[in-house]
Amino acid sequence: MQQPNQHINQLLQRCEIGEQSAQLEIYKRYYRAMYNTALRILKNSFEAEDMMQESFLIAFTKLSTFKGEVTFGAWLKRIVINKCLTQLKKNKRFEEVKLEVAQQSPIEDEEVDYSSIKSEEVMNSINSLKDNYRIAITLHLIEGYDYEEVAEIMNITYQNSRTTISRAKNKLREILSTQKV
């Protein structure tokens, strides 16, 4: 397992001195995952492609700031997410829901069998959520960020992060359960 990390580190060193073949190799390794992350946030393939490209440019120009505290892929993904959220704000498609304004919907204790639902249906249902729910649940469930990290990325409080993710999960359950009825 040490070998891939050493190889990435060697590639990154070559990237820092501007070696284009190393940059191309890094791009080939990460572009698909970064594009998918951008697409899940932006829901527009052209915008996702643009943000992914810009994120790689930022990463290559700011490579000296990469400290190696996390993997390069995690560092790059954070750049992609931040670029996408900035783009959403620029387009006024992302609005923070204030904790005191949001209404709590009652939670029903009915049992629903989700085992027959296909992943494509789940992704379509996630994409149908309003932007702040979709982004929060994507960051939490798909990208694997915890509540604190989601709060930091979305620039909201920890409590608002937990509440937003909880409400997004409830809304997702509601959508999925109505599809199966």
Side-chain angles (χ1 to χ4, degrees), residues 35 38-39 42-54 87 93:
Y35 171 78
L39 185 61
L42 296 169
K43 294 193 327 187
N44 177 302
S45 61
F46 295 113
E47 260 187 325
E49 182 76 26
D50 284 348
M51 292 304 103
M52 184 215 33
Q53 297 285 341
E54 287 183 34
Q87 183 67 18
R93 290 178 13 212

Side-chain angles (χ1 to χ4, degrees), residues 70-105:
V70 295
T71 64
F72 176 76
W75 182 73
L76 180 60
K77 184 184 283 188
R78 190 65 181 264
I79 293 171
V80 171
I81 290 168
N82 289 340
K83 268 310 270 175
C84 291
L85 292 178
T86 301
Q87 183 67 18
L88 284 176
K89 288 175 186 172
K90 195 183 295 181
N91 295 342
K92 298 186 192 290
R93 290 178 13 212
F94 173 73
E95 294 178 27
E96 180 180 341
V97 174
K98 299 291 183 204
L99 191 57
E100 60 273 3
V101 175
Q103 306 251 334
Q104 183 71 23
S105 58

